[in-house]
Amino acid sequence: LKFVGVLPGKGTQLLPESFEMSTAMQLGRTVGRKLRPRTCMHASMIKFRGGSAAQSERNPEQLMAELRNLLSKDSVAGTQQLSNEWFARADSDNNKSLTKDEFAGLMESVGLPLAGSEKTVFFDHFNKAKSGEVSYTEFVQTIRGEMREFAASLAFMHQYRGHYPSAMTSVRSVLPRFDAAETEEWIESLDAVLKVHGPTRARFLMHELLDEAVRKGVGISPSVITPMCNTIPTAMQPEYPGNRQIEGRISNLVRWNAAVMVSDGNRRAAGVGGHIGTFASVCDMWEVGMNHFFRGKGYPGGMGDQLYIQGHAAPGAYARAYLEGRLTLENVMHFRQEVDGKGLSSYPHPRLMPDFWENPTVSMGLGPLSAVCQARFFRYLHLRGLCDTSSSRVWAFIGDGEMDEPETIYAIARAGYEKLNNLIFIVNCNYQRLDGPVRGNSKVIQEFEGLFRGAGFDCIKLIWGDAWNELVDQDHDGKLIEVLERTPDGDCQRYSAKNDGALIRKEIFEDNGLADRVAHLSDEELLSAFMLPGGHDHKKIYAAFHQAQTNAEAGGRPTVILAKTLKGFSLATFQGRNTVHQQKTLKQEEMLTFRDVLQIPLSDEQIKNPQGGEFFRNPGPDSQEVKYMKERRDELGGFLPLRTPAKVAGLIDLPPPETYSIFDAGNPKANSTTMAFATLLRKLMKSGDFGKRCVPMVTDEARTFGLNSFFHEFKIHAPFGQQYTPVDHDQMMKYAEAPDGQILQEGISEAGALCTWIATGTSYASQGCPMLPFFIYYSMFGFQRVGDLIWQGADARARGFLLGATAGRTTLNGEGLQHQDGHSNLIALSNPAVIAWDPAFAYEVSYIIEHGIKQMWGEDKDVIYYISLYNENHSMPALPENPTVKEGLLKGIYKFQEAEAGKAHTVRLIGSGSIMQQVLGAVELLAEYDIACEVWSATNYGELYREALRADRYTRLHPREEPAKCWVKEMLGDFDGLTLAASDNISSYPQLIKDYVGGEYVVLGTDGFGRSDTREALRRFFEVDKQSITVAALSSLSRKGKISPDVVESAMEKLNVKYDRVDHTDPAIV
């Protein structure tokens, strides 16, 4: 049989007979297709030309060969036709199965008639499960055959990663060459090295050649992955400046107290948790940094360095502060027991320990990105002449497991293209996540090096300690390095956990023909060398940190130190094991061993039967160790971590009150609250010294929010200036960038922008330089998208404004489901530091911002203001003359409009945001039914609710006193009629005050998924337009017997308000 395809416009053609797996893949794509009814069968597009009849019955292999011939790789039409035939014949079960007769019919239809026993034999060949039916999946899998094993190898790490294909011969022939003969000589030299010395030597030479080219200024990218050696050779290490014996004892004391803090805390208060293994792995780097590198608040040229430590390593910071005398024994004995005010927080939390911690880090990935944005903001302050940050660096400790986080990967890229030479990352490569290896089959240090180097970092690898590094230095032919590079991290972890020198000798050296390299070492010496990697060798650590510091002072790019460590280092019973992260307590035997390893002066009896805080060791302020610690910190500018916020109140002159009265007179010209904000922001930015400290921030949406006119006036911050001529350079409102630009254009990254916002909003503490951030963004992409970062900002005690522009599920009408926000205000309520506002008018926006500035800078309150802004234009009313309006506006609700006298009935309508316009429209419609309306503006349901909860608690716990008062109850509690609230938020938000409103309370909100349409259509769909508000009010009055149901039905017909509504997004309906 020959397979013939009919192709449109090309007639009947023979197709190739070769079969490839891609043909079966074409079949596989139709497995999930729904059953086609027989009447829907496509007309055959395949013609089969018959061959000679078979002389004898064929076996399954012969039949399979013929079928594969039919399904040639180019026969997409044939594959499709077979699929159509299959589904036309298949039963309606989920497997789309065929019986034996149906299967034989299918084969005949595609040109493979089966005779005699062939039907049974070939059917059974596919019917692996012996079920009496062949499913489509079984058919495809049998046609395809066994999948080839996926080729995954560590060798991929060293494959060429350039822009050209590996088969260079044909490409090379057409590339321009200045001297073809010389080019060939270079290539022949490489071939000779490969032939004589092998790939290891060739790779070494190429690395050296590339590095030398870079040093000589040749415009070529350096290699991104270097051999698995320490970047700084032993011969190039600087002299260690400190007393290593004393520092070793200090490290042991700190490591001991950190572990005991967690263990003892769980012994006395089971379940409080904590982590022992993380700090044990990072302790030596922490101590070298504290004794020689980390600059305190008193260091000249800024307010010292910012430290971002791994959150799980927090006990180490407490242990050191305990030795320094900054924390008491009572403090460390109350680790994770904070309610009484004596304890220590679980992780770095400035909100809980405002005089100690500066930077929250434990939400994975946020620490690295925050560190990058902090370094960038330090440079921003310096370039704008607001603060000298020339000597302030940012050091960020990152776990190798944390490198999985997308925020970390973005942070690396951003630091690279921003060329942040004041940033130093330290990746703690202990090869372990919380459950097991980071990537057991890989080499994460090599992987990370490629990532960081590719992003533009200076990369320092700190892998081997002194003893093991001697073996690497003596590796004259590169064979040992080659073995180490192909030994997976999972095996390295196993060697550490097994604690067996003989195992290391066998698998690393003997099995690879390198036994002679370690013949001079005993198993114990070999194990000792392996178990002290670079991240625990103080001399190696100092050399790496020293080079990083040099880069920060003289280099032009960020630095990363990739440090190999052991998780749970010195904790012999569980170091390197998969369970080390969950280790919360130390058994007596483990403590005794740990004590001996660290040489801690405690007797067996003190460990077995501790009294009070005997577990903790502090040699006292007059000891050699503590004096040394304090001397080193004094030289470096003081203790760390330490938070010393500036008292902003009285330090900065705030704008005068008349700044905020610009909207009091109202404006009949249509405008939006977003544009009102832009007008006020420009006025604030022109307010003297205060104005210079206002930092507008956008995520590439300034034009959407009416801020494009700011570009030429205040300029966009660009540290290297504007090196190009913008396309609109000849226009008034051109895109202007400058090193001292005031606007921060964050690109399309809400996460990056929030981290910059945090750095800005905490600069009053980090640099004693108050700055006020105004971050305006699509409201849907705030709390919903980066709520974790806003929570981090609250923890860090950031002060500033978040402006959720394009708010409202029906106001941002065309963008649809992913953009239409109706719940940010409710989510904001979950953050205790956030005060969320929903203003309807321009004057409300102005006075809310004034109030926020007074709270943040006039009263030094660590609060965040979130303000919903809308892009709907309408006339802006004047500020009502009632003197209590401002008070109510800032408390959350006030009466905007009195009810008209002389009507038969009176109702109260509450509006907020853009839906206030619908409420005002309903007033006119209800007047036609002889109903008067009080109109109230609710600027903040959340704060009304919070105040009411506080009043409830006071009343509950003071049974003999009069019930406490709250604003919402005073304003709305004495009414026995109807109160109706309408909002462009989901109903749960206005419902917050239900218990405090007198009479009947009805809420209309925008519950459900958003969708694209006109505002009118959307508001009718969600039933928050003026017609729906009118009908809702009439219906409530009807049910109270105050008007006839006929009135309601008549109004529904007149206003075209219907019950039936199709919502295909509602799971309850679908």
Side-chain angles (χ1 to χ4, degrees):
L1 294 171
K2 296 292 183 180
F3 192 62
V4 182
V6 180
L7 302 179
K10 296 185 178 181
T12 303
Q13 297 182 354
L14 281 173
L15 298 173
E17 298 180 0
S18 60
F19 175 83
E20 298 254 348
M21 188 180 296
S22 59
T23 306
M25 292 303 186
Q26 292 289 339
L27 287 170
R29 292 192 185 107
T30 64
V31 170
R33 186 175 299 147
K34 291 184 178 180
L35 176 67
R36 296 181 185 274
R38 292 178 186 271
T39 56
C40 295
M41 280 183 61
H42 292 298
S44 177
M45 294 183 66
I46 307 300
K47 295 181 180 179
F48 297 98
R49 188 168 61 197
S52 58
Q55 299 299 313
S56 62
E57 292 189 349
R58 297 156 291 184
N59 61 34
E61 288 71 26
Q62 291 171 321
L63 291 166
M64 184 66 75
E66 291 191 34
L67 179 59
R68 285 176 171 166
N69 250 355
L70 292 172
L71 300 175
S72 65
K73 65 178 180 180
D74 293 324
S75 179
V76 176
T79 301
Q80 185 65 54
Q81 183 60 32
L82 188 145
S83 299
N84 291 339
E85 292 277 356
W86 181 287
F87 287 111
R89 298 172 182 273
D91 295 329
S92 60
D93 60 80
N94 290 332
N95 288 327
K96 313 296 187 293
S97 301
L98 296 182
T99 64
K100 182 168 66 175
D101 290 339
E102 288 173 328
F103 181 79
L106 174 69
M107 292 298 101
E108 184 170 2
S109 72
V110 298
L112 185 61
L114 303 175
S117 63
E118 287 179 347
K119 291 183 180 180
T120 301
V121 171
F122 202 37
F123 178 80
D124 290 343
H125 184 69
F126 286 91
N127 185 24
K128 306 294 187 184
K130 305 301 180 186
S131 62
E133 292 181 328
V134 174
S135 71
Y136 193 73
T137 301
E138 287 178 318
F139 178 70
V140 172
Q141 288 175 345
T142 306
I143 288 287
R144 183 187 62 203
E146 290 296 321
M147 290 285 285
R148 287 177 293 179
E149 184 177 354
F150 185 79
S153 166
L154 291 177
F156 279 144
M157 295 186 57
H158 305 301
Q159 282 186 345
Y160 178 70
R161 285 180 162 82
H163 297 291
Y164 301 113
S166 56
M168 290 294 295
T169 305
S170 58
V171 178
R172 197 182 299 125
S173 65
V174 297
L175 290 177
R177 294 183 289 179
F178 300 108
D179 188 332
E182 184 184 34
T183 302
E184 290 302 325
E185 289 173 6
W186 277 89
I187 294 169
E188 289 171 3
S189 297
L190 177 60
D191 290 339
V193 172
L194 283 167
K195 184 177 181 180
V196 177
H197 299 290
T200 300
R201 177 62 177 166
R203 186 156 63 91
F204 172 79
L205 289 174
M206 293 305 297
H207 278 302
E208 289 297 304
L209 191 62
L210 285 171
D211 289 346
E212 186 64 22
V214 173
R215 283 192 288 270
K216 295 291 177 60
V218 179
I220 188 172
S221 298
S223 56
V224 295
I225 298 180
T226 61
M228 197 166 178
C229 306
N230 288 346
T231 301
I232 302 172
T234 302
M236 298 296 293
Q237 288 178 189
E239 195 70 28
Y240 196 88
N243 187 318
R244 291 183 60 210
Q245 287 187 333
I246 296 178
E247 289 185 23
R249 294 201 299 270
I250 294 171
S251 291
N252 287 349
L253 285 168
V254 172
R255 185 179 274 115
W256 169 267
N257 285 333
V260 166
M261 191 182 309
V262 177
S263 179
D264 184 59
N266 281 274
R267 182 180 62 84
R268 291 183 296 101
V272 297
H275 304 276
I276 296 175
T278 299
F279 183 72
S281 69
V282 81
C283 174
D284 296 293
M285 291 187 288
W286 172 259
E287 282 303 308
V288 171
M290 280 294 181
N291 288 322
H292 301 285
F293 294 99
F294 301 155
R295 295 168 179 171
K297 299 295 185 184
Y299 199 91
M303 285 185 62
D305 295 342
Q306 286 286 301
L307 300 182
Y308 289 78
I309 77 165
Q310 289 176 261
H312 295 131
Y318 298 143
R320 175 170 250 271
Y322 170 57
L323 295 181
E324 293 167 338
R326 297 197 293 144
L327 295 177
T328 67
L329 178 62
E330 186 176 29
N331 292 145
V332 296
M333 289 182 69
H334 285 80
F335 173 61
R336 293 195 171 205
Q337 299 172 58
E338 303 174 75
V339 171
D340 63 2
K342 302 174 184 176
L344 306 175
S345 63
S346 54
Y347 303 120
H349 292 306
R351 181 65 64 169
L352 298 172
M353 296 178 67
D355 300 324
F356 191 87
W357 293 115
E358 285 195 280
N359 302 302
T361 55
V362 81
S363 187
M364 295 295 180
L366 304 193
L369 184 52
S370 296
V372 168
C373 295
Q374 184 70 269
R376 175 174 176 257
F377 193 71
F378 279 179
R379 185 175 64 186
Y380 171 92
L381 290 173
H382 196 89
L383 291 176
R384 288 198 58 213
L386 295 169
C387 185
D388 178 10
T389 62
S390 56
S391 295
S392 291
R393 294 86 51 93
V394 177
W395 301 76
F397 287 83
I398 309 168
D400 49 0
E402 193 172 8
M403 290 290 292
D404 291 340
E405 293 285 357
E407 291 89 351
T408 304
I409 302 303
Y410 168 64
I412 294 167
R414 185 164 192 178
Y417 68 68
E418 291 275 2
K419 296 179 172 59
L420 296 172
N421 61 298
N422 59 343
L423 173 71
I424 300 166
F425 273 3
I426 302 163
V427 183
N428 178 18
C429 298
N430 56 40
Y431 297 168
Q432 291 183 249
R433 290 197 192 105
L434 279 64
D435 288 334
V438 174
R439 272 183 278 291
N441 291 319
S442 184
K443 303 292 294 181
V444 293
I445 289 180
Q446 301 295 85
E447 175 190 326
F448 295 161
E449 180 186 25
L451 181 64
F452 279 102
R453 281 182 178 271
F457 274 69
D458 213 344
C459 186
I460 300 171
K461 291 201 286 194
L462 176 60
I463 306 174
W464 312 117
D466 221 21
W468 192 273
N469 201 61
E470 288 182 13
L471 300 175
V472 175
D473 286 345
Q474 294 166 11
D475 185 29
H476 58 280
D477 57 2
K479 298 295 185 184
L480 176 58
I481 294 174
E482 193 174 294
V483 171
L484 294 173
E485 287 180 344
R486 67 170 183 255
T487 302
D489 288 348
D491 281 336
C492 292
Q493 180 193 349
R494 175 167 55 88
Y495 300 148
S496 302
K498 294 299 183 183
N499 210 28
D500 186 350
L503 178 66
I504 296 171
R505 183 186 302 276
K506 179 183 183 303
E507 295 197 8
I508 292 181
F509 295 95
E510 293 177 355
D511 289 354
N512 293 285
L514 301 176
D516 60 313
R517 307 290 179 94
V518 290
H520 63 293
L521 297 176
S522 66
D523 287 348
E524 185 177 348
E525 290 171 329
L526 184 59
L527 177 64
S528 177
F530 186 82
M531 297 295 281
L532 189 72
H536 297 293
D537 187 318
H538 284 214
K539 290 192 299 181
K540 302 290 185 187
I541 296 168
Y542 180 85
F545 279 31
H546 183 269
Q547 183 60 51
Q549 180 168 268
T550 301
N551 294 349
E553 293 170 352
R557 53 184 178 170
T559 300
V560 62
I561 298 170
L562 301 175
K564 185 180 187 303
T565 64
L566 296 179
K567 193 161 189 175
F569 179 75
S570 71
L571 297 161
T573 53
F574 53 83
Q575 65 183 357
R577 298 187 181 277
N578 284 338
T579 57
V580 63
H581 190 82
Q582 281 71 37
Q583 196 74 27
K584 314 294 183 188
T585 58
L586 297 169
K587 299 174 184 176
Q588 281 189 5
E589 298 77 10
E590 292 171 334
M591 292 193 71
L592 291 169
T593 303
F594 192 32
R595 174 205 62 185
D596 294 341
V597 170
L598 299 182
Q599 300 179 343
I600 302 298
L602 278 173
S603 67
D604 290 0
E605 182 62 25
Q606 286 176 305
I607 288 179
K608 292 177 180 178
N609 299 292
Q611 300 295 321
E614 277 190 335
F615 276 151
F616 296 92
R617 290 288 90 188
N618 189 334
D622 296 326
S623 66
Q624 195 177 29
E625 293 83 1
V626 174
K627 283 183 177 180
Y628 183 90
M629 293 170 70
K630 291 184 175 180
E631 287 171 4
R632 298 305 308 140
R633 291 313 310 160
D634 285 345
E635 186 172 332
L636 287 166
F639 295 123
L640 287 176
L642 182 68
R643 186 174 179 274
T644 56
K647 296 296 182 184
V648 185
L651 183 65
I652 306 295
D653 290 332
L654 302 185
E658 56 267 23
T659 304
Y660 306 98
S661 61
I662 54 176
F663 304 116
D664 285 6
N667 189 345
K669 183 179 178 181
N671 201 0
S672 67
T673 53
T674 302
M675 293 309 299
F677 163 73
T679 301
L680 177 63
L681 181 59
R682 172 181 273 107
K683 196 170 182 65
L684 291 173
M685 292 175 71
K686 290 178 172 293
S687 299
D689 182 50
F690 174 89
K692 295 177 183 178
R693 299 175 183 277
C694 293
V695 184
M697 300 168 55
V698 291
T699 49
D700 204 34
E701 286 279 5
R703 298 181 192 278
T704 302
F705 308 134
L707 299 180
N708 51 306
S709 62
F710 284 40
F711 292 162
H712 75 285
E713 186 174 3
F714 300 105
K715 296 184 175 56
I716 297 166
H717 176 69
F720 309 108
Q722 194 164 24
Q723 304 297 321
Y724 65 96
T725 302
V727 67
D728 56 0
H729 68 95
D730 54 353
Q731 298 178 17
M732 175 71 73
M733 293 192 296
K734 62 185 178 183
Y735 195 84
E737 299 177 272
D740 61 349
Q742 192 166 352
I743 302 167
L744 285 174
Q745 166 60 271
E746 294 299 295
I748 305 175
S749 171
E750 282 79 11
L754 251 299
C755 286
T756 301
W757 183 90
I758 293 170
T760 309
T762 57
S763 63
Y764 72 96
S766 65
Q767 288 291 342
C769 179
M771 303 294 289
L772 194 60
F774 292 85
F775 176 29
I776 183 168
Y777 56 88
Y778 263 74
S779 66
M780 191 69 150
F781 304 143
F783 285 91
Q784 175 165 302
R785 188 167 190 168
V786 286
D788 195 9
L789 276 163
I790 298 174
W791 191 268
Q792 184 186 35
D795 190 351
R797 294 178 172 264
R799 303 172 184 174
F801 292 88
L802 299 172
L803 292 307
T806 61
R809 186 144 293 161
T810 68
T811 306
L812 181 63
N813 53 310
E815 293 293 298
L817 184 149
Q818 190 65 34
H819 288 68
Q820 291 170 343
D821 171 38
H823 47 273
S824 285
N825 289 75
L826 188 62
I827 299 175
L829 185 65
S830 67
N831 190 318
V834 175
I835 302 174
W837 303 86
D838 192 20
F841 306 126
Y843 67 80
E844 292 181 351
V845 173
S846 187
Y847 288 118
I848 287 168
I849 290 176
E850 179 191 29
H851 189 58
I853 291 172
K854 285 181 178 179
Q855 284 201 308
M856 296 172 204
W857 282 23
E859 301 171 13
D860 277 307
K861 291 185 178 180
D862 301 331
V863 294
I864 298 168
Y865 267 41
Y866 172 73
I867 304 176
S868 293
L869 298 177
Y870 297 84
N871 65 351
E872 182 175 12
N873 292 324
H874 53 80
S875 60
M876 291 294 172
L879 176 73
E881 295 182 0
N882 188 332
T884 64
V885 164
K886 283 189 183 180
E887 180 185 12
L889 188 162
L890 299 176
K891 282 184 174 292
I893 196 168
Y894 67 95
K895 186 185 291 185
F896 173 73
Q897 183 175 295
E898 292 284 357
E900 183 181 350
K903 298 288 186 183
H905 306 286
T906 299
V907 299
R908 283 192 310 205
L909 302 182
I910 302 176
S912 58
S914 60
I915 298 302
M916 174 60 86
Q917 297 303 306
Q918 303 303 312
V919 168
L920 295 174
V923 172
E924 297 178 5
L925 293 177
L926 286 167
E928 298 176 13
Y929 296 91
D930 203 22
I931 298 170
C933 302
E934 282 183 4
V935 179
W936 292 70
S937 179
T939 56
N940 199 320
Y941 286 109
E943 288 308 291
L944 292 174
Y945 177 68
R946 284 171 172 169
E947 186 197 30
L949 287 184
R950 290 192 293 269
D952 285 349
R953 178 177 180 271
Y954 184 91
T955 300
R956 183 170 63 250
L957 299 177
H958 293 80
R960 295 182 182 276
E961 297 183 16
E962 289 292 319
K965 295 180 180 180
C966 60
W967 184 261
V968 63
K969 199 164 187 178
E970 285 192 68
M971 296 297 104
L972 306 178
D974 60 350
F975 188 66
D976 62 357
L978 167 67
T979 300
L980 187 151
S983 166
D984 217 359
N985 293 280
I986 59 176
S987 303
S988 303
Y989 186 53
Q991 286 279 6
L992 290 169
I993 63 170
K994 181 178 181 180
D995 291 345
Y996 310 98
V997 179
E1000 184 183 8
Y1001 185 53
V1002 175
V1003 171
L1004 302 180
T1006 52
D1007 297 76
F1009 287 112
R1011 62 212 67 207
S1012 300
D1013 212 312
T1014 64
R1015 289 187 179 123
E1016 292 76 12
L1018 288 173
R1019 287 167 180 166
R1020 172 55 56 90
F1021 176 84
F1022 285 106
E1023 298 172 357
V1024 291
D1025 60 351
K1026 61 184 180 181
Q1027 294 87 352
S1028 298
I1029 294 170
T1030 300
V1031 169
L1034 293 172
S1035 178
S1036 293
L1037 291 174
S1038 170
R1039 291 192 172 278
K1040 293 293 184 181
K1042 295 184 178 181
I1043 62 175
S1044 169
D1046 295 341
V1047 176
V1048 183
E1049 292 173 348
S1050 173
M1052 290 176 66
E1053 182 176 357
K1054 176 182 178 182
L1055 301 175
N1056 196 28
V1057 175
K1058 301 177 181 178
Y1059 170 76
D1060 293 331
R1061 179 180 68 173
V1062 178
D1063 184 359
H1064 59 274
T1065 68
D1066 187 347
I1069 297 175
V1070 175

